[in-house]
Amino acid sequence: MQTKLIIVGGGAAGIVCALTAKRENPSLQVSILEQNERIGKKILKTGNGKCNLSNLNMSEHFYNHPHELSIWLNQIPISEVQAFFQSCGLFLKTDGSTRLYPYSEQATTVLEVLRYELKRHHIDTICNVRVKSLIYEQGWIVKTNQRDFKADYVVVASGSLAQEQTEGYRILQELGHRLIPLVPGLAALKTKEKLRHLQGLRVKCQAGIYEQKRLLHQDKGEILFKDDGLSGILAFDLSRFLTKGNEVALDLLFDYPHLERELTSLLTWKELEDALMGLLPKMLVWEILKRNPNRDIKAIVKTIHHLSFEVVATYGFEWAQIARGGISLEDINLDFSSRKQAHLSIIGEVLDVDGASGGYNLHFAWLSGMIAGRAIASFEKNGK
Ligand SMILES: Cc1cc2nc3c(=O)[nH]c(=O)nc-3n(C[C@H](O)[C@H](O)[C@H](O)COP(=O)(O)OP(=O)(O)OC[C@H]3O[C@@H](n4cnc5c(N)ncnc54)[C@H](O)[C@@H]3O)c2cc1C
């Protein structure tokens, strides 16, 4: 009798897990159950449709659990993830920085290649099937909205609530796994200040998150002003470290230490407003002057280096790229098998792992799929 492996969720992690397990142990019968009408829908949304699938600048420090990530990244170095895609026939390139993309710059290419591989390895993808619960009775019974499926091993790769619905968290909680509370991550920030007058403006700056004046986190990048908050890659990255009520302060001239001296000398022959116009976009000059009605030069320089906003919320899951929180890493082993149930593994974003923008979240999905797939294949081969 063939050993049956069922993967719940046909996303990035589930597809790579299925392929890895089957390649390493062709005697396995592998099926993917996907609730949507087709697999890999979220892959198509990634990187603005270009799929930023990984990053050559790979380090555990881009994740919320650096300790575990350092072990996993050692186990599967970035070169192995690249080799995996090359073995599927996918051509890769960087965008001139360290971000990795398919050569075509089309997320559809990534999905097409993965779908082809699934077919080539005779892996069943069964769509429009929503898994409702998992019951262990001398083997797994996978209960769905259609019918029951039987399996010797189950991998839950059900992803997160970011721009998707999933019952994966509940299913795993019912089996004894703990859930770290979920909040939207890599999402735009809603601020108390209304910013319609700055809407559409993009600035490169350094931003800090402050809690009662204490600096919690700092990063550089691009901010895009929205009518009710801050967006852009820098705002997305900050959202991973924020809680409600934190202050975000932008240093608009972080690489310009002698600003006060230079502005003062300009003021010997120019009006303040005209001097600032040579320095910053017009819309920001007005914002800074509005915040400093007495036009004190020291206070103006301080505002330029610390333009603060109170964050009242992030945008919700319907806009977020990832979820922070998820199934606790304390409830899995380093090969992604469950510590609560035998013959069950948990991979990808359903876990409490979140990474920075730049390909780190997809990288974790591929990596966890590869490690779990390998472990299941060898576990089964060795007859344990
Ligand atoms: C707009 C957007 C852009 C992004 N861009 C990037 C990027 O450029 N680079 C990057 O690294 N990351 C990016 N991400 C994040 C990245 O897409 C995710 O981290 C990654 O897809 C997670 O992979 P996963 O397999 O764990 O989950 P998913 O890819 O979400 O797959 C989970 C699958 O499980 C299915 N499922 C859930 N519950 C059930 C159930 N009960 N029964 C059956 N099926 C179920 C879902 O339908 C889904 O297909 C982006 C995310 C979004 C939303």
Side-chain angles (χ1 to χ4, degrees):
M1 271 262 288
Q2 258 190 316
T3 301
K4 285 188 186 156
L5 164 63
I6 283 187
I7 296 183
V8 180
I15 294 172
V16 169
C17 181
L19 284 170
T20 307
K22 185 74 181 180
R23 281 178 176 189
E24 304 235 344
N25 186 348
S27 72
L28 284 174
Q29 186 192 321
V30 185
S31 309
I32 297 176
L33 304 184
E34 168 56 48
Q35 64 186 1
N36 289 327
E37 66 287 1
R38 55 181 299 185
I39 59 166
K41 270 180 97 172
K42 200 179 274 184
I43 294 175
L44 298 180
K45 292 186 179 183
T46 58
N48 285 327
K50 291 192 202 169
C51 188
N52 175 199
L53 56 84
S54 183
N55 200 307
L56 298 181
N57 181 18
M58 189 50 64
S59 152
E60 64 272 23
H61 300 297
F62 292 106
Y63 294 93
N64 60 332
H65 287 291
H67 173 69
E68 287 81 355
L69 260 296
S70 76
I71 298 169
W72 290 325
L73 291 170
N74 267 331
Q75 213 172 322
I76 305 262
I78 174 105
S79 55
E80 251 186 77
V81 174
Q82 286 175 280
F84 171 83
F85 282 111
Q86 278 151 3
S87 76
C88 297
L90 183 72
F91 291 69
L92 301 173
K93 72 171 181 193
T94 56
D95 64 345
S97 67
T98 53
R99 292 171 184 238
L100 209 55
Y101 289 87
Y103 198 87
S104 64
E105 295 192 9
Q106 298 278 322
T108 47
T109 310
V110 178
L111 189 55
E112 283 310 321
V113 160
L114 292 174
R115 279 157 62 95
Y116 184 89
E117 278 302 287
L118 290 171
K119 212 167 159 193
R120 193 164 77 90
H121 286 90
H122 307 290
I123 293 167
D124 278 341
T125 53
I126 308 168
C127 294
N128 293 311
V129 170
R130 179 169 304 211
V131 175
K132 304 297 260 182
S133 62
L134 298 171
I135 298 166
Y136 196 83
E137 281 173 7
Q138 297 167 329
W140 284 106
I141 300 170
V142 181
K143 295 204 157 284
T144 78
N145 60 341
Q146 304 273 352
R147 63 178 180 88
D148 293 355
F149 293 79
K150 285 191 171 171
D152 302 290
Y153 290 85
V154 171
V155 175
V156 178
S158 50
S160 78
L161 289 176
Q163 304 190 23
E164 187 54 272
Q165 299 297 317
T166 173
E167 293 179 54
Y169 299 113
R170 177 190 52 76
I171 294 170
L172 290 168
Q173 279 182 290
E174 283 171 4
L175 294 170
H177 304 90
R178 282 161 291 182
L179 181 70
I180 306 298
L182 300 164
V183 277
L186 297 184
L189 314 175
K190 285 194 178 162
T191 57
K192 194 171 158 194
E193 299 79 7
K194 294 293 159 226
L195 304 174
R196 184 159 299 147
H197 53 296
L198 295 174
Q199 192 178 356
L201 179 68
R202 287 175 190 273
V203 286
K204 294 225 166 69
C205 60
Q206 177 169 284
I209 301 173
Y210 295 82
E211 190 172 67
Q212 290 169 350
K213 309 277 177 227
R214 193 167 56 91
L215 180 66
L216 298 180
H217 179 78
Q218 204 168 38
D219 212 344
K220 295 189 185 97
E222 189 175 77
I223 290 281
L224 166 66
F225 288 94
K226 289 170 75 79
D227 63 340
D228 58 352
L230 306 172
S231 185
I233 288 181
L234 180 54
F236 282 13
D237 276 329
L238 294 179
S239 71
R240 293 182 53 230
F241 303 92
L242 271 167
T243 48
K244 198 175 157 190
N246 284 171
E247 178 201 2
V248 167
L250 310 184
D251 186 342
L252 299 170
L253 281 163
F254 60 93
D255 47 2
Y256 217 106
H258 307 299
L259 183 59
E260 189 181 334
R261 202 175 60 203
E262 300 211 14
L263 262 184
T264 310
S265 103
L266 279 178
L267 292 180
T268 57
W269 58 280
K270 258 184 168 183
E271 291 298 318
L272 176 62
E273 192 173 319
D274 297 317
L276 290 174
M277 290 290 182
L279 190 67
L280 291 166
K282 208 184 249 184
M283 293 190 272
L284 276 174
V285 172
W286 291 330
E287 174 70 16
I288 283 156
L289 290 175
K290 196 174 84 189
R291 291 186 186 209
N292 291 281
N294 59 7
R295 306 202 154 206
D296 174 61
I297 191 77
K298 272 196 188 319
I300 284 175
V301 169
K302 200 168 163 202
T303 309
I304 291 173
H305 285 305
H306 193 97
L307 184 66
S308 72
F309 303 92
E310 186 180 326
V311 178
V312 287
T314 58
Y315 277 63
F317 282 115
E318 67 276 29
W319 301 103
Q321 290 196 357
I322 57 162
R324 287 161 65 197
I327 297 300
S328 170
L329 295 190
E330 288 181 15
D331 291 343
I332 58 160
N333 296 304
L334 285 171
D335 63 359
F336 294 92
S337 58
S338 163
R339 285 193 175 158
K340 301 288 177 184
Q341 302 285 334
H343 294 190
L344 178 75
S345 297
I346 308 167
I347 56 172
E349 213 188 299
V350 67
L351 289 168
D352 171 31
V353 173
D354 63 90
S357 61
Y360 297 99
N361 289 294
L362 276 174
H363 187 88
F364 177 69
W366 319 126
L367 172 140
S368 58
M370 287 170 79
I371 295 176
R374 248 179 223 179
I376 293 165
S378 69
F379 191 68
E380 183 48 29
K381 256 190 207 160
N382 300 334
K384 284 185 207 153

